[in-house]
Amino acid sequence: MIQTDIRKLVAYGVRTGLVPEEDITFTANRLLELFGLDEPGEPGEKAEESEARAAGCLNAQDGGAARLAGELEEILNRMCDYGCENGLIVEDSVVYRDLFDTKIMSMLMPRPSEVIRKFRELYETESPRAATDYYYKLSQDSDYIRRYRIAKDMKWVAPTRYGDLDITINLSKPEKDPKAIAAARNAKQSGYPKCLLCRENEGYAGRVNHPARQNHRIIPVTINGSQWGFQYSPYVYYNEHCIVFNFQHVPMKIDHAAFCKLFDFVKQFPHYFVGSNADLPIVGGSILSHDHFQGGHYEFAMAKAPVERSFTVEGFEDVAAGVVNWPMSVIRLNGPDSDRIIALADRILEKWRGYTDEDAFVYAYTDGEPHNTITPIARKRGDNFELDLVLRNNITTEEHPLGVYHPHAKLHHIKKENIGLIEVMGLAVLPARLKGEMAQLKEAILTGADLRADEVLEKHADWVEEFTPKYEKIDAANIDEIIEKEIGLVFMEVLEDAGVYKRTSQGQAAFDRFIRIL
């Protein structure tokens, strides 16, 4: 009965803290209205047992939150089934179900003002960590972060000569069916909200070509004197993956103000790192039209990588500077005074924007088009501040039309997409297609099948022929480990391709030429 699931959902809301005891009847009545019902009905004996079991999930000591997320998934699935059967959902597809189950969850949500008030109270009376813990839990419990989908992502750690790289195959973004794609294409184009990052998304019902956000809440923050929003990514690629975005819909720009904003955020949330995608196509992120940063409570492989050679910039002897042992070209600045780090970062950015070294195939401009920019990442290190500046260049050639400093064609069978901030730091976000392809590939290798005769696996043939001779024996017991390790090594090569200065004596000598002009 739908009434049973309404009771279960309200119980879920109570135990996660979404629904205060005083709001139980009010919330249940809102859900009855949503489903076109006049009364809640009476729970039977089995229904009571089921509700009690669901209520106890959160209290279980081991994996209670995961079980509760699974219970929520089941409740919402049944509610969407009911919606489809009773004409509340336009069509039984993931797009329309997502629009409807977000509307369902909105019935349990506190108003934005309540969330902001609670966040600020915890920040002031306890700590920034307590405030973000509350907000992250809310974002998960509200199903804005769909834990049961993210749990499907494939994740592993791959050892390389640069440290352990994080590898993920992203399965949490549901694939749209052809009908939904066609409907989105034919839908009236709206300029509201302007993009997925705009503050107008908060509470927005969504449409076939824009996700619903009724269960979304934003924390306003003042950064460097301007108004920004703090939220979590609905597709968390790492722990507490957050997005900090300008309340104004303005393009991304790496400049002095950007460095100031990064450090201002870190000062307010010292347990988080924060970084920005570069501000040029190819080397930038997916949304260059809206100024934003990404951060979180996680230490990436790049942050763990040591400085392999130090240098001093005249006039900045108080700032420790060095080149990081990393496949991409990274300058690390460290010191107790963030203003001094910013001043040196300004100089490095200014010099890099206009820097050309033909011998190293570094061109600041071609035909008036700029190519040089930086991906910056800020963090606290004890009492010191730290800023990593990753040198980027987006030049293209006939041989490399997608970018010279971009994954080269031989690696596109694994990774073809742009290398943004998250990948720069050492976390691969690989396409969902790889899950099925890896399963087929393992079977083909074990049976000795001809990869080149297979339409799907043909693109992996050269790679397999390259790595299989390295192993004395490949069998069912070790093939998963081998494939995961080799994918990790491909990602390492992806980062090396994206590095402006290669990890060779010649490449590092060219890097030093740039450092000398600072």
Side-chain angles (χ1 to χ4, degrees), residues 39-53:
E39 54 186 278
E42 293 297 324
E45 189 176 333
K46 286 185 178 179
E48 284 180 337
E49 288 176 8
S50 178
E51 289 165 37
R53 190 167 58 251

Side-chain angles (χ1 to χ4, degrees), residues 213-460:
R213 289 289 183 258
Q214 293 110 313
N215 58 351
H216 177 37
R217 298 293 180 263
I218 295 167
I219 305 296
V221 289
T222 301
I223 300 180
N224 197 36
S226 58
Q227 293 304 302
W228 285 55
F230 169 57
Q231 67 181 57
Y232 290 105
S233 166
Y235 306 106
V236 287
Y237 292 131
Y238 51 86
N239 187 48
E240 297 177 46
H241 177 186
C242 70
I243 299 171
V244 192
F245 63 98
N246 198 321
F247 270 170
Q248 302 299 316
H249 182 78
V250 293
M252 289 183 62
K253 188 177 183 184
I254 303 300
D255 56 9
H256 171 79
F259 297 143
C260 292
K261 289 167 188 170
L262 292 176
F263 277 121
D264 197 4
F265 181 82
V266 167
K267 288 171 186 175
Q268 293 181 57
F269 301 95
H271 57 301
Y272 277 15
F273 82 90
V274 67
S276 175
N277 271 301
D279 54 0
L280 292 178
I282 296 176
V283 296
S286 56
I287 305 179
L288 294 177
S289 60
H290 195 130
D291 194 13
H292 72 284
F293 306 137
Q294 293 181 82
H297 194 195
Y298 190 73
E299 188 170 43
F300 286 87
M302 191 181 82
K304 299 175 188 175
V307 168
E308 63 181 3
R309 62 185 186 276
S310 299
F311 61 89
T312 302
V313 178
E314 186 178 351
F316 293 92
E317 289 80 6
D318 55 326
V319 178
V323 173
V324 179
N325 180 24
W326 192 244
M328 298 187 70
S329 307
V330 186
I331 293 174
R332 178 167 294 162
L333 308 180
N334 184 292
D337 187 341
S338 61
D339 288 341
R340 294 291 292 156
I341 293 174
I342 290 168
L344 180 50
D346 286 342
R347 179 181 293 188
I348 293 170
L349 177 63
E350 179 191 2
K351 295 289 188 183
W352 180 244
R353 289 278 194 198
Y355 185 72
T356 291
D357 181 347
E358 294 185 9
D359 290 341
F361 204 78
V362 173
Y363 293 88
Y365 297 90
T366 56
D367 300 324
E369 180 188 350
H371 297 301
N372 289 346
T373 185
I374 279 176
T375 298
I377 303 105
R379 62 183 78 90
K380 278 295 294 288
R381 286 286 192 206
D383 293 332
N384 279 9
F385 295 96
E386 191 167 87
L387 183 66
D388 284 349
L389 301 173
V390 188
L391 306 183
R392 311 298 303 272
N393 180 288
N394 76 345
I395 196 167
T396 60
T397 62
E398 285 187 18
E399 184 185 359
H400 302 292
L402 298 180
V404 172
Y405 305 108
H406 176 88
H408 289 177
K410 66 169 284 196
L411 307 177
H412 288 178
H413 65 105
I414 298 293
K415 176 71 174 176
K416 185 179 182 180
E417 298 78 15
N418 292 358
I419 303 304
L421 173 68
I422 293 171
E423 275 115 348
V424 163
M425 295 186 292
L427 189 154
V429 182
L430 302 179
R433 64 173 170 82
L434 282 176
K435 180 185 179 182
E437 289 177 16
M438 292 305 103
Q440 295 175 54
L441 190 62
K442 290 169 189 174
E443 180 67 24
I445 292 172
L446 291 175
T447 59
D450 181 5
L451 298 183
R452 298 188 188 281
D454 187 299
E455 225 176 89
V456 174
L457 301 182
E458 180 187 13
K459 60 179 173 287
H460 297 299

Side-chain angles (χ1 to χ4, degrees), residues 106 112 199-206 212-217:
S106 74
R199 67 183 302 186
E200 289 79 15
N201 283 282
E202 186 178 44
Y204 187 60
R213 289 289 183 258
Q214 293 110 313
N215 58 351
H216 177 37
R217 298 293 180 263

